[in-house]
């Protein structure tokens, strides 16, 4: 996946791409309008007036040129040919744009050069016309929806030129499995056929075009699927087995019980915080669990520190709540400053529940505590120093390993972080992007008088955040105008002095790491017997401290799902779909909140800063919104933040 990977293009290349884009979109729009109108009227109006045999021959040629031309362009040779149709070395990058332009041109030619027979067999009127027109409009809506599910950027050709314009490599995504593609592998062709047959005016011309193009719509995807099998291999073959070819139908279910013996019930790839928690929850209920991690040692530098009250509730299921609380620092208040003034205080003292604070604990300690719990569970095996690069699944089990297949399990869970190899191995599409914000983070021995409070400074020059850590330390995060590459210690101290007026001695700095937040969502959190969890399924900005907490809520949910399938023989597919639906909803809300919070905090300059200060001081920290701030930042208002908040009707878990 090369989401957002940069590439250098000259101004000439960028403007050429823009011109190609404009022409392609103009042709696309024109072809849609002309086709909509022509089909609706049964092609009985035309610009060209040939007669007799010549007209018939010409019309058949027009229909055939579209079908054959379209098929040829999509073949390997056709693709190679299209790369020659853009100058300045842009052939490959602009191939989707060129394809959309050529396909639109073919449609335009078909309808504009059509010689009508000028015979109308049947033209409805009154209520019937209204009904058929409605059906026709609905077919177009279905076509638009299926194109959008497939990826509108590829379908209308904007992927190529926009990537060049933005200085990125085009990101070609694997095949889609969601939306209308859940019920039919070819919804675009199916909707197009529906358009052909729902147009209300019947003429000989309409019958010819509808019949020949229906034939094309049924046969052409066979070639397309052959290509997909070549590109996406087993992942596409599995999709073919599950989802009907053309007519929408029910998805074939995953077998819940398996006959083949496997080494493990569940194999978890990744011993990060999410993988370890999941292993603990499953191992505690007696499932045979394997956890593999490519690292020989757990992570040494800390990422996540903030643990929210719902997460402490989840940890209590492993009996770890007290151990975590003992080790961490309780943050009960977060003081917020703007330009030379205090804006307010986000307090957790009055939030509902037993834990009226955010617990601060470095990720290494979190991992160590979880790992020792996992080690105490007899049915869980943790293997370090092993990278999973191979997965093969059939209806009953998954085999996994590196160069060789080493283990088998009924289920494999990708908890392998945002660059998930497991996700790539199942060819799962992702959506994502960057925010264009940059930060530098460092932990310091703390000699300030900030105590156990968190402090945020939103200044005209950029943000500074400070969070207490155990053992007399404090984490500092500073916003930087550019990504920091290889900077010596000292920059954090300098920016904190400028923006917050506090002196941090450089020799008190323990570590430093830059980060530039991104977001990502996997299109589907499961494929057959492989399931994604934590950052492998969704990535959000670390600002706001929600990534690990969201991953833990995924793990709690997924543990219940797997136990229901394995120990109570509940059908797998509805449970996995509930997991996907609920956890996607939760992670989307968390991702949006993180993005909004980061956006607000990172506005710089006099005007933006004044607007932010006024908004926060007058609206957020005063009036009716004020009482919601604590629960909001403690993630109490994220949907499905623990399994208890999943309504029973969502799926019969308990
Ligand atoms: C600077 C920063 C601060 C953050 N602060 C917070 C916070 O305060 N609160 C919060 O909730 N979240 C925070 N987050 C987010 C949090 O760190 C992540 O959401 C969390 O680590 C995700 O956990 P995970 O287990 O899904 O993935 P990871 O932590 O990325 O773990 C993945 C594991 O998989 C292993 N792995 C990867 N590929 C393979 C393979 N092919 N085979 C075997 N093993 C593999 C890796 O070695 C790794 O151990 C922060 C993130 C950053 C960057």
């Amino acid at each position: 996946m090369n989401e957002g990977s940069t590439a250098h293009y000259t101004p000439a290349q960028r403007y050429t791409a823009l011109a190609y884009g404009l022409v392609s979109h103009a042709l696309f729009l024109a072809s849609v309008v002309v086709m909509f109108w022509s089909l609706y009227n049964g092609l009985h109006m035309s610009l060209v007036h040939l007669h007799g045999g010549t007209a018939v021959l010409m019309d058949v040629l027009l229909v055939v040129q579209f079908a054959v031309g379209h098929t040829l362009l999509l073949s390997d040779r056709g693709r190679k040919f299209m790369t020659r149709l853009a100058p300045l070395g842009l052939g490959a990058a602009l191939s989707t744009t060129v394809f959309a332009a050529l396909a639109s041109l073919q449609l335009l030619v078909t309808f504009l050069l059509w010689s009508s027979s000028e015979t109308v067999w049947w033209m409805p009127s009154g209520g019937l016309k209204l009904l058929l027109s409605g059906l026709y409009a609905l077919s177009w809506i279905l076509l638009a929806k299926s194109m959008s599910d497939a990826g509108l950027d590829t379908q209308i050709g904007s992927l190529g030129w926009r990537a060049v314009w933005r200085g990125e490599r085009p990101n070609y995504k694997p095949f889609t499995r969601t939306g209308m593609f859940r019920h039919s592998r070819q919804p675009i062709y199916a909707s197009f056929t529906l358009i052909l047959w729902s147009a209300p005016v019947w003429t000989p011309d309409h019958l010819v075009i509808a019949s020949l193009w229906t034939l094309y719509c049924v046969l052409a995807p066979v070639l397309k699927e052959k290509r997909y099998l070549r590109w996406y291999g087993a992942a596409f073959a599995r999709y073919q087995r599950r989802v009907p070819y053309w007519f929408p139908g029910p998805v074939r279910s995953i077998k819940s019980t398996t006959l083949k013996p496997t080494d493990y019930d569940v194999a978890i790839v990744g011993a990060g915080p999410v993988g370890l928690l999941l292993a603990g929850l499953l191992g505690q209920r007696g499932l045979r669990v394997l956890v593999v991690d490519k690292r020989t040692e757990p992570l040494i530098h800390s990422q996540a520190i903030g643990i929210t009250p719902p997460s402490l509730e989840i940890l209590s299921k492993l009996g770890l709540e007290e151990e975590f609380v003992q080790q961490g620092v309780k943050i009960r208040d977060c003081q917020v400053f703007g330009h030379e003034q205090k804006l307010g205080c986000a307090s957790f003292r009055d939030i509902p529940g037993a834990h009226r604070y955010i617990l601060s604990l470095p990720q290494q300690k979190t991992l160590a505590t979880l790992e020792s719990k996992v080690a105490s569970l007899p049915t869980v095996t943790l293997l370090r120093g092993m990278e999973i690069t191979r997965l093969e699944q059939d209806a009953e089990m998954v085999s996994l390993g590196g160069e060789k297949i080493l283990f088998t399990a009924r289920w494999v869970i990708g908890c392998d972080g945002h660059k998930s190899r497991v996700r790539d191995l199942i060819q799962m599409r992702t959506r994502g992007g960057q925010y264009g914000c940059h930060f530098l983070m460092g932990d310091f021995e703390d000699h300030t008088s900030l105590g156990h409070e968190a402090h945020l400074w939103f200044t005209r020059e950029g943000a500074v955040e400070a969070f207490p850590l155990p053992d007399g330390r404090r984490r500092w995060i500073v916003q930087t105008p550019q990504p920091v590459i290889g900077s010596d210690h000292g920059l954090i101290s300098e920016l904190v002095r400028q923006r917050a007026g506090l002196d941090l001695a450089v020799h008190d700095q323990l570590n430093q790491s830059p980060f530039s937040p991104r977001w990502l969502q996997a299109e589907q959190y499961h494929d057959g017997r492989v399931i994604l969890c934590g950052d492998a399924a969704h990535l959000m900005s670390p600002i706001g401290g929600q990534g690990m907490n969201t991953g833990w809520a995924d793990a709690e949910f997924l543990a219940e799902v797997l136990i229901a399938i394995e120990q109570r023989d509940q059908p797998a597919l509805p449970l996995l779909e509930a997991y996907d639906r609920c956890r996607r909803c939760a992670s989307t809300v968390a991702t949006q909140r993180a993005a909004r919070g980061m956006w607000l905090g990172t506005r710089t300059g006099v005007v933006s800063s004044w607007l932010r200060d006024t908004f926060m001081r007058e609206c957020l920290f005063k009036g009716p919104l004020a009482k919601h701030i604590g629960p909001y930042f403690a993630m109490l208002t994220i949907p499905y933040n623990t399994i208890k908040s999943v309504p029973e009707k969502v799926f019969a878990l308990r």
Side-chain angles (χ1 to χ4, degrees):
M1 311 287 116
N2 53 0
E3 197 96 50
S5 64
T6 52
H8 180 72
Y9 295 105
T10 62
Q13 285 177 311
R14 292 181 65 226
Y15 283 101
T16 304
L18 179 65
Y20 266 64
L22 290 176
V23 171
S24 172
H25 293 337
L27 286 171
F28 181 81
L29 202 67
S31 68
V32 169
V33 172
V34 168
M35 185 163 72
F36 185 95
W37 183 248
S38 301
L39 285 175
Y40 184 75
N41 289 298
L43 293 98
H44 79 275
M45 292 180 269
S46 54
L47 298 177
V48 176
H49 298 283
L50 299 178
H51 297 285
T54 327
V56 173
L57 183 68
M58 181 67 176
D59 289 350
V60 170
L61 279 178
L62 286 173
V63 177
V64 171
Q65 67 79 29
F66 176 76
V68 174
H70 208 71
T71 309
L72 287 179
L73 284 178
L74 285 172
S75 68
D76 289 346
R77 283 191 176 182
R79 282 165 192 277
K80 219 177 249 169
F81 167 72
M82 280 191 294
T83 61
R84 290 194 223 121
L85 299 183
L88 306 175
L90 290 172
L94 291 183
S95 62
T96 49
T97 308
V98 169
F99 176 74
L102 290 179
S104 306
L105 204 60
Q106 285 181 287
L107 284 172
L108 275 175
V109 164
T110 307
F111 289 104
L112 293 179
L113 299 188
W114 190 267
S115 297
S116 166
S117 64
E118 286 165 16
T119 308
V120 177
W121 281 336
W122 187 67
M123 189 184 288
S125 58
L128 191 58
K129 183 172 182 188
L130 210 65
L131 188 77
L132 287 174
S133 302
L135 191 63
Y136 183 68
L138 182 73
S139 312
W140 277 92
I141 292 171
L142 288 178
L143 179 67
K145 166 83 173 93
S146 53
M147 285 173 72
S148 143
D149 290 339
L152 216 50
D153 51 357
T154 324
Q155 298 297 318
I156 67 169
S158 64
L159 177 77
W161 77 263
R162 285 187 65 208
V164 176
W165 182 251
R166 289 192 303 222
E168 291 170 2
R169 255 176 263 283
N171 180 19
Y172 300 103
K173 296 180 177 177
F175 66 99
T176 184
R177 286 158 253 217
T178 53
M180 290 177 68
F181 288 81
R182 271 187 73 222
H183 305 286
S184 157
R185 303 202 300 272
Q186 302 299 340
I188 297 182
Y189 287 96
S191 322
F192 188 67
T193 309
L194 204 60
I195 288 176
L196 293 172
W197 292 96
S198 61
V201 179
W202 278 94
T203 62
D205 312 74
H206 185 174
L207 187 64
V208 168
I209 211 162
S211 310
L212 291 178
W213 276 1
T214 299
L215 206 63
Y216 165 72
C217 286
V218 174
L219 297 180
V222 174
L223 294 176
K224 182 177 165 189
E225 294 207 342
K226 275 194 181 151
R227 264 196 322 275
Y228 274 28
L229 274 173
R230 219 166 0 104
W231 293 343
Y232 306 119
F236 189 73
R238 214 169 34 255
Y239 173 65
Q240 278 183 316
R241 282 195 295 276
R242 263 190 322 113
V243 176
Y245 173 64
W246 209 83
F247 282 108
V251 179
R252 269 154 239 150
S253 204
I254 304 163
K255 278 190 192 175
S256 296
T257 46
T258 66
L259 302 173
K260 286 187 201 166
T262 54
D263 301 329
Y264 298 94
D265 296 319
V266 180
I268 298 172
V269 183
V274 177
L276 287 173
L277 181 85
L278 179 62
L281 292 170
L282 294 172
Q284 184 169 257
R285 305 279 281 271
L287 261 65
R288 297 168 304 144
V289 180
L290 169 73
V291 189
V292 274
D293 199 291
K294 64 181 179 185
R295 288 181 212 273
T296 46
E297 296 290 329
L299 189 81
I300 43 161
H301 62 273
S302 169
Q303 293 185 339
I305 52 169
I307 298 175
T308 59
S311 292
L312 287 169
E313 212 177 293
I314 294 171
L315 290 166
S316 72
K317 285 187 158 180
L318 287 179
L320 291 177
E321 180 187 12
E322 204 42 47
E323 202 174 331
F324 268 83
V325 173
Q326 292 294 328
Q327 296 180 79
V329 171
K330 295 173 183 169
I331 304 178
R332 293 197 161 88
D333 297 296
C334 175
Q335 306 292 349
V336 184
F337 300 86
H339 178 66
E340 293 177 355
Q341 60 182 319
K342 182 171 166 181
L343 301 178
C345 171
S347 176
F348 304 108
R349 290 173 190 274
D350 297 324
I351 63 175
H355 304 286
R356 296 176 176 192
Y357 49 83
I358 305 285
L359 190 75
S360 167
L361 188 69
Q363 192 163 327
Q364 310 94 308
K365 293 201 177 191
T366 294
L367 289 174
T369 311
L370 285 171
E371 194 164 329
S372 79
K373 176 71 194 183
V374 161
S376 73
L377 296 168
T379 58
V380 182
T381 310
L382 172 61
L383 288 181
R384 287 201 165 275
M386 177 176 296
E387 182 170 7
I388 296 301
T389 55
R390 199 162 153 198
L391 283 183
E392 287 165 15
Q393 59 169 317
D394 62 24
E396 300 195 3
M397 67 178 195
V398 194
S399 312
L400 67 160
E403 273 181 19
K404 283 194 211 140
I405 289 297
L406 297 169
F407 314 101
T408 55
R410 294 193 214 282
W411 302 95
V412 166
I413 319 299
C415 292
D416 50 343
H418 69 278
K419 292 183 182 160
S420 174
R421 186 68 181 256
V422 171
R423 193 180 61 221
D424 287 351
L425 288 169
I426 57 169
Q427 303 274 356
M428 187 52 68
R429 273 186 179 211
T430 57
R431 284 183 306 117
Q434 301 181 348
Y435 293 108
C437 298
H438 313 286
F439 298 89
L440 187 60
M441 173 179 97
D443 295 343
F444 284 67
E445 296 293 352
D446 189 27
H447 301 296
T448 66
S449 56
L450 302 179
H452 283 183
E453 289 180 339
H455 283 67
L456 310 178
W457 289 267
F458 298 133
T459 76
R460 292 174 177 179
E461 292 75 33
V464 172
E465 304 190 349
F467 303 97
L469 294 171
D471 306 325
R473 294 177 174 176
R474 183 169 294 273
R475 167 161 301 177
W476 291 88
I477 300 173
V478 293
Q479 182 187 353
T480 57
Q482 300 296 332
V484 175
I485 302 159
S487 156
D488 292 334
H489 286 194
L491 184 58
I492 296 181
S493 303
E494 191 186 320
L495 293 178
V496 169
R497 192 163 36 251
Q498 285 169 11
R499 297 176 191 172
L502 291 170
D503 280 323
L504 305 182
V506 177
H507 59 79
D508 281 335
Q509 185 167 354
L510 303 164
N511 53 37
Q512 170 163 299
S513 54
F515 63 96
S516 300
R518 300 176 52 215
W519 70 276
L520 178 146
Q521 269 286 347
E523 195 182 75
Q524 196 171 282
Y525 290 178
H526 60 95
D527 181 51
R529 294 186 163 271
V530 181
I531 306 166
L532 303 174
C533 190
D535 277 15
H538 46 70
L539 177 70
M540 59 195 73
S541 166
I543 300 298
Q546 302 179 96
M548 179 180 71
N549 291 292
T550 307
W552 277 351
D554 293 352
E556 188 200 23
F557 199 120
L558 185 55
E560 290 294 333
V561 164
L562 291 170
I563 286 158
I565 298 169
E566 287 300 315
Q567 295 186 338
R568 297 203 295 274
D569 280 345
Q570 282 188 234
L573 197 58
L575 289 170
L576 292 176
E577 287 183 345
Y579 168 73
D580 190 306
R581 200 169 51 247
C582 296
R583 296 315 308 155
R584 179 179 305 282
C585 167
S587 68
T588 304
V589 172
T591 304
Q592 286 167 351
R593 285 188 183 185
R596 274 198 297 269
M598 187 175 65
W599 182 86
L600 190 64
T602 51
R603 298 306 88 200
T604 51
V606 178
V607 178
S608 305
S609 189
W610 180 83
L611 285 171
R612 175 187 48 222
D613 286 4
T614 310
F615 168 71
M616 293 187 81
R617 194 183 51 236
E618 302 303 329
C619 302
L620 272 190
F621 290 112
K622 280 187 195 157
L625 283 184
K627 66 173 187 292
H628 298 292
I629 294 182
Y632 181 93
F633 285 106
M635 294 181 76
L636 299 187
T637 50
I638 295 278
Y640 316 118
N641 56 10
T642 64
I643 202 79
K644 276 195 211 151
S645 59
V646 178
E648 293 208 8
K649 68 169 191 248
V650 170
F651 62 125
L653 265 184
R654 294 176 286 273

